Amino acid sequence: MKTIEFESQRVSLWYFRLALVLFILQVIMGLWLSINYAFTLPQELVNVFPFSTAREIHTNTLVAWMLLGFMGGTYYILPPECDRELYSTKIAYLQLIIFVAAAVTAVIGFLFGWTRGKPLLEIPFPLNALIVVAALLFIANVAMTIIKAKVKTALQWMLLGGVTFLALMYLFGMPFYRNLNTDYYYWWWVIHLWVEGAWEIVTASIMAYIIMRVTGVERKVVEKWLYVETGLFLFTGIVGTGHHYYWIGAPDYWLWWGGIFSALEPLPIVLMVVDTWMHVRERKNPIVNPLTWYYIVGLAIYHLVGAGLWGFMHTLPPINRYTHGSQITVSHGHLAFFGAYALLNLTIFYFAMPRLKGITKYHDTAGRWGFWITTIAMFMLGLVFGIAGILQTYLERFLDIGYSTAQQTMMFWFRVAFGVGLVFLGGVLTTIWHLFTLKPSDKLAPEEVVVPPAANI
């Protein structure tokens, strides 16, 4: 049985493999950061491998493996969605080489102090220029594939809009402004508008395609929700950027605008959960590999709790005044990134990698262990960071106790976080080992209902 429709879909496999390698590196760096918080390390060791370097590698590998997953996922779904091969597999491989070369050079450069020192955007300008070249190649390849397609769908254009928006926003993080307030103003255009704008559109587009293929639900049903969710994400996400302007010298009206629109941000996520539930009820396909469906449902729930509810509580001005930049932010960040985007990438990998290997149904016992260990461990990690953050807020911002003294009280919770992090690493390694060694199952897989491109046009 043929498991992929177009040969050019195979280009995505290397994107997935490299993303998974970076995922491991990101988690290891996270564990090292928790050790820094949990124990008093010898100064000689801190001098050799500073906290700031580990943090740079932790956050930048996060962004890199997310982007590799999005790009690979786009290259996997685009040929069947457009009913033609990719415009150019050579461009796709060239783009991958440039992107990975820039990412690896950046990590090595961080070890030797080659950094801009701008949080989350530490990559020096020459490497940023290479990433822009890779992004332009990606957009050109995606755009040409869609333009040359005989059929056009809303999903194609939504995906193209998302990746273009993503590349455009990155440009605002490249200059360094002399005024720190101005610099942070535009810094949030990258950090926030990526996460709650461009990435959400890409997520909605890719998930819409996977849900159609996994459940067999009609295209018009998925596209209807795609319009609604994307519109709401843009509506609430763009103005909701204002909740980052509270304390950087921006005008006072951002307290109102940021507060109101931040409060509305969970709305599209709630709709996404409702949407997923409706797909369960309306699905026509038998679920061939339940693990993919676990990830789809897990993404919806985690997205709601981590990004939606936890973000909602944290960004209201009266609360944010005290919790801003504390470990509560760390808790929200871990739950939101894992729930919204790490689970998206893993959904893509579990949907696409078996097909790329010619497997219709696979043994999923190890994969299920990996899913439950990582999701439960990340929930516990978010909880522990949240407790540490509440403690930090009370000690530092209500009792006015200094950072170093408050840190002594919080060390216990970081030791707990380190233990939970080790469990999480075990889940990640189990998942990645399973993905790299997928074996076909002896059980006969039921036939999927194939969703044709542009079926509603």
Side-chain angles (χ1 to χ4, degrees):
M1 179 182 173
K2 194 174 180 181
T3 51
I4 59 171
E5 293 93 331
F6 296 91
E7 198 59 28
S8 59
Q9 288 177 277
R10 294 193 186 282
V11 75
S12 59
L13 190 56
W14 276 105
Y15 283 82
F16 299 155
R17 287 170 174 164
L18 291 168
L20 288 169
V21 172
L22 289 179
F23 186 19
I24 296 174
L25 179 60
Q26 187 220 343
V27 176
I28 292 173
M29 285 299 108
L31 281 170
W32 177 251
L33 291 174
S34 68
I35 290 174
N36 278 259
Y37 276 114
F39 305 98
T40 303
L41 300 178
Q43 189 59 42
E44 295 78 11
L45 183 57
V46 175
N47 291 341
V48 173
F49 192 48
F51 177 89
S52 57
T53 302
R55 185 175 182 270
E56 287 168 345
I57 298 174
H58 179 63
T59 53
N60 282 275
T61 49
L62 161 73
V63 174
W65 88 266
M66 295 290 165
L67 292 179
L68 284 171
F70 295 167
M71 292 171 180
T74 301
Y75 281 142
Y76 183 84
I77 72 171
L78 211 51
E81 182 62 18
C82 294
D83 201 21
R84 55 157 288 145
E85 297 284 1
L86 282 177
Y87 176 71
S88 171
T89 52
K90 289 180 181 175
I91 290 178
Y93 281 121
L94 176 63
Q95 166 210 333
L96 178 63
I97 292 168
I98 294 172
F99 185 87
V100 172
V104 171
T105 308
V107 170
I108 296 172
F110 292 154
L111 295 174
F112 293 95
W114 192 32
T115 169
R116 292 203 303 163
K118 200 171 181 177
L120 298 172
L121 299 175
E122 292 94 346
I123 296 177
F125 185 82
L127 298 179
N128 266 332
L130 282 178
I131 290 172
V132 170
V133 171
L136 290 175
L137 289 173
F138 178 57
I139 293 170
N141 210 6
V142 172
M144 289 306 295
T145 305
I146 293 174
I147 290 169
K148 287 185 171 293
K150 293 178 182 175
V151 289
K152 302 289 188 295
T153 68
L155 196 151
Q156 295 168 4
W157 294 112
M158 209 70 82
L159 192 57
L160 178 60
V163 298
T164 306
F165 187 25
L166 190 153
L168 188 65
M169 287 298 106
Y170 189 73
L171 299 177
F172 289 97
M174 292 178 69
F176 194 89
Y177 302 92
R178 287 180 180 275
N179 185 303
L180 197 59
N181 283 359
T182 308
D183 197 62
Y184 267 90
Y185 189 86
Y186 289 111
W187 184 77
W188 285 117
W189 283 31
V190 186
I191 306 304
H192 177 96
L193 291 179
W194 256 24
V195 175
E196 296 181 47
W199 287 20
E200 292 285 7
I201 299 173
V202 175
T203 299
S205 304
I206 293 176
M207 284 305 295
Y209 178 82
I210 293 178
I211 285 173
M212 276 194 298
R213 293 298 302 266
V214 171
T215 65
V217 69
E218 291 182 17
R219 176 178 291 271
K220 63 182 180 182
V221 175
V222 172
E223 288 194 339
K224 176 187 70 179
W225 285 102
L226 185 62
Y227 284 129
V228 174
E229 287 171 17
T230 304
L232 279 171
F233 274 126
L234 290 177
F235 181 66
T236 60
I238 290 176
V239 187
T241 312
H243 70 245
H244 298 294
Y245 296 160
Y246 295 161
W247 325 118
I248 62 169
D252 289 348
Y253 57 76
W254 280 115
L255 285 170
W256 285 96
W257 284 99
I260 292 169
F261 282 88
S262 294
L264 292 173
E265 282 184 358
L267 189 58
I269 303 172
V270 171
L271 285 177
M272 190 182 73
V273 175
V274 173
D275 181 31
T276 306
W277 174 245
M278 289 177 67
H279 291 141
V280 176
R281 296 176 60 188
E282 295 185 23
R283 70 184 172 88
K284 297 175 181 176
N285 272 352
I287 302 296
V288 179
N289 290 299
L291 193 52
T292 311
W293 189 247
Y294 278 29
Y295 274 100
I296 292 172
V297 176
L299 183 152
I301 294 172
Y302 247 100
H303 204 150
L304 174 63
V305 175
L309 298 181
W310 205 213
F312 165 72
M313 289 187 290
H314 178 46
T315 54
L316 294 175
I319 297 173
N320 195 263
R321 177 181 180 184
Y322 297 99
T323 61
H324 192 83
S326 70
Q327 292 296 328
I328 292 176
T329 307
V330 177
S331 171
H332 167 52
H334 277 74
L335 291 175
F337 267 102
F338 178 77
Y341 303 118
L343 289 182
L344 168 70
N345 271 1
L346 292 169
T347 303
I348 296 169
F349 302 160
Y350 268 109
F351 174 73
M353 288 180 79
R355 289 169 164 82
L356 289 166
K357 294 183 176 184
I359 298 172
T360 51
K361 184 167 177 58
Y362 55 82
H363 288 287
D364 65 359
T365 306
R368 290 190 191 215
W369 275 102
F371 172 82
W372 287 112
I373 291 172
T374 51
T375 51
I376 292 173
M378 181 51 73
F379 179 78
M380 294 301 298
L381 205 54
L383 194 63
V384 171
F385 283 139
I387 293 171
I390 292 169
L391 189 60
Q392 180 186 17
T393 302
Y394 179 70
L395 293 174
E396 290 182 10
R397 299 172 189 184
F398 280 89
L399 300 184
D400 204 21
I401 294 174
Y403 174 82
S404 298
T405 307
Q407 169 65 16
Q408 295 294 320
T409 311
M410 292 159 57
M411 286 175 94
F412 168 77
W413 292 104
F414 285 109
R415 289 169 186 165
V416 176
F418 174 65
V420 176
L422 285 174
V423 176
F424 182 75
L425 176 63
V428 169
L429 292 175
T430 304
T431 301
I432 293 175
W433 174 80
H434 183 240
L435 279 166
F436 275 108
T437 60
L438 284 168
K439 298 283 190 304
S441 169
D442 297 332
K443 293 180 182 176
L444 190 63
E447 290 284 339
E448 285 184 357
V449 175
V450 177
V451 179
N456 63 328
I457 295 177

